[in-house]
Amino acid sequence: MAGTLAPTGAQCAANLPIKNWASLGDSYSNIVGDGLQDYEALMATDACLQGHKPQYLSNPDAAISQVSSQQVSKLSKNTNFVTISAGANDIGLVQVLDACVYNWIGSASLSCAQTLKDAANSLSGAAFASSWNNLLTQAHSALASNAGKAYVVGNAAFFDETTSSCNQVSLAAYGGGSQQKYLTNKLRKDLNELIHRFNWWQHYLVTKYNRAKVPSGNTLQYPVQFIDPDDRFNGRRFCRIGTDGTGSRESATWFSDSEGLKTPATRSSYDKLHAPTTCDAHGGWNEYVQCRMAKAIQKSSSLSLTVSGAGTSPNNWERVFHPKTAGEDLIRDEIVSQIAQGPTLSGYNLRILPLGASITAGFASTDGNGFRKVLYDTLRKTNTVDYVGSQGTAPLVHEGHPGWIIKDVSNVATNPLKSRPNVVMVHVGTNDLLTNNAIDQAPARLGELIDHVLSIAPDAVVLVAQILPSSRAGQFDNFVTFNARVASAINQRQVQNKKVLKLWMPITTDDLVDGVHPNDAGYNKMAQAWIKGLQRAADKGWIGNPV
């Protein structure tokens, strides 16, 4: 059966009867110039929002602490719904783009590798976590009297990493020699990985906050929801297949860049905006760029603005690497689908292969079934459900092997896949990291496992869970890195029209019994997450009857 879970206005009203709503955050929710519309403006026209227009409070230059101190306090009375996009300014995304892509300062360029490292360190730092917790606390407090919800919106990765068309393309603001910053495969992968890390940390911090507020673990009752728009941009990123260069001038590319903007710039336009000797390069995006370019142009009269640099006025730099209206439209769709929560998954014939290691097997759960029994009992209420696998006892069989690494799991998957499941649930990779088994290549091995699954069961939907974090000494960042790189591997396969979905798990280290395996409440949350993944696959029309 192929179904649809498209939300209706009635479903939205039933789940969240909107009184007033507002947009909080930075430039990701505050698009400027050229008639572009942000996702909030597009949401205001959607039936789901029941005709309510937002209170616009976002500031493009705001850090998380400023969203807390300057925006939340201005929420209108009876506000019961907010969107939040924040954090890019805290990790120095503009500095990363300066060092790795645009080279606004010219010959005194920052180190790309160092700014990427600094951004990653900021994400894992105590200040980032504290700022998010404070913002969520204040926003939830402002909404609580109205039983409101906050929706934290993640970012989309910028590039297709696999194409070669961008390897000799530079978006540097000045032409010639060392000024160039070529968009090589490695650079594109590194920049995408930063965005996936950014999303991972936001999701993790939102999960920690929700866990504290809803001890029951019912994720549908969580006051804060994380919205991940990333996979909706597959096939629409810079350097996508079929483009010449970045493709930013093409309507099918859903990010803005300087070469696609309209208003020309000249050297004098930067000289007039800022006095090079006194300007501050620590303000918002526009101020930062204008000041750095003014300084560079004053220092070297030989610098010439490139075609890409000449394609943007000094006041439009704020828009680079932000979604165009078409991209904002899909972010709107993602938020609306979360508000509606969709009808219950119903009427499907599900043949499910749970595939992985000890967490798939249910190690450390009271009944030894982990997430599988809760998932089975819930799905059976409205669907036909059969598990396949060589392990466990019917009907809760599985293919989970404690202690096994990705390669082992891939080797044993062949036989159960011959049963032609239409859903394969993958959670594997933990043991590769814990045993330090060539961990840099572990995401690629998981990608090969996905390919192996689809080579035998090409009609199956493959739900790939982000592996649970570990509190084992020295392991946490390895797990973050693995998950970020797996997100890219999944995107690459979606571009190839493979039915593969990334699945967020609402688990923190507080849900673990031994630093690795979930407690019973954690396994129940995993079951809820698998159901959410199935709903998303159904929304895409991916779930057919088993062969």
Side-chain angles (χ1 to χ4, degrees), residues 157-434:
F158 305 127
F159 296 102
D160 186 308
E161 303 173 7
T162 62
T163 57
S164 59
S165 61
C166 280
N167 285 344
Q168 295 301 313
V169 171
S170 174
L171 297 178
Y174 319 104
S178 62
Q179 308 300 334
Q180 301 301 309
K181 301 282 186 177
Y182 293 107
L183 299 176
T184 62
N185 292 103
K186 182 181 185 306
L187 176 58
R188 283 178 271 151
K189 289 178 182 178
D190 289 345
L191 290 169
N192 282 357
E193 182 179 323
L194 175 62
I195 297 303
H196 292 312
R197 280 177 171 270
F198 181 62
N199 286 346
W200 191 94
W201 273 106
Q202 288 183 102
H203 176 267
Y204 186 77
L205 296 172
V206 164
T207 299
K208 282 184 72 72
Y209 182 82
N210 283 328
R211 186 184 186 280
K213 295 299 178 183
V214 185
S216 69
N218 185 343
T219 58
L220 294 178
Q221 295 178 357
Y222 281 178
V224 186
Q225 299 291 329
F226 177 72
I227 305 294
D228 179 10
D230 180 61
D231 71 356
R232 289 183 178 261
F233 282 76
N234 283 326
R236 305 292 187 174
R237 307 180 199 271
F238 291 137
C239 307
R240 60 189 175 80
I241 296 171
T243 61
D244 181 16
T246 65
S248 63
R249 288 190 176 94
E250 301 171 18
S251 60
T253 301
W254 288 350
F255 285 104
S256 295
D257 181 62
S258 55
E259 70 175 4
L261 303 180
K262 296 178 180 179
T263 311
T266 64
R267 292 171 57 90
S268 62
S269 64
Y270 288 96
D271 290 334
K272 291 176 182 178
L273 278 166
H274 284 285
T277 56
T278 60
C279 66
D280 181 7
H282 299 285
W285 282 48
N286 275 334
E287 184 178 356
Y288 175 93
V289 176
Q290 292 164 9
C291 181
R292 288 181 75 83
M293 292 190 75
K295 289 177 180 291
I297 289 168
Q298 182 201 49
K299 182 177 181 180
S300 176
S301 59
S302 64
L303 283 178
S304 60
L305 293 171
T306 64
V307 173
S308 82
T312 182
S313 75
N315 290 318
N316 277 341
W317 282 108
E318 206 161 57
R319 287 171 37 205
V320 299
F321 281 64
H322 287 65
K324 297 177 182 176
T325 298
E328 297 284 348
D329 198 31
L330 285 205
I331 296 175
R332 180 270 309 270
D333 290 347
E334 189 68 26
I335 298 171
V336 165
S337 68
Q338 289 279 351
I339 296 172
Q341 296 179 2
T344 302
L345 192 75
S346 179
Y348 286 85
N349 184 0
L350 302 172
R351 186 181 297 160
I352 299 173
L353 170 61
L355 183 63
S358 56
I359 292 174
T360 299
F363 182 83
S365 61
T366 300
D367 64 3
N369 292 314
F371 62 76
R372 298 189 319 282
K373 187 175 190 306
V374 175
L375 177 62
Y376 181 83
D377 290 344
T378 303
L379 291 175
R380 286 266 295 179
K381 293 176 182 177
T382 53
N383 305 273
T384 300
V385 184
D386 290 297
Y387 286 153
V388 297
S390 66
Q391 304 297 298
T393 304
L396 302 178
V397 295
H398 60 91
E399 204 63 49
H401 296 267
W404 283 24
I405 60 176
I406 296 168
K407 182 180 179 181
D408 296 334
V409 172
S410 183
N411 289 338
V412 81
T414 301
N415 282 336
L417 287 169
K418 291 177 181 177
S419 299
R420 295 302 294 273
N422 59 349
V423 176
V424 180
M425 296 178 168
V426 178
H427 182 283
V428 67
T430 301
N431 294 314
D432 292 72
L433 303 187
L434 292 178

Side-chain angles (χ1 to χ4, degrees), residues 489-506:
I490 292 170
N491 283 343
Q492 292 167 21
R493 284 155 180 82
Q494 280 196 13
V495 170
Q496 299 166 7
N497 295 316
K498 295 180 179 180
K499 296 188 291 187
V500 186
L501 280 177
K502 175 183 67 182
L503 200 61
W504 293 102
M505 285 291 163

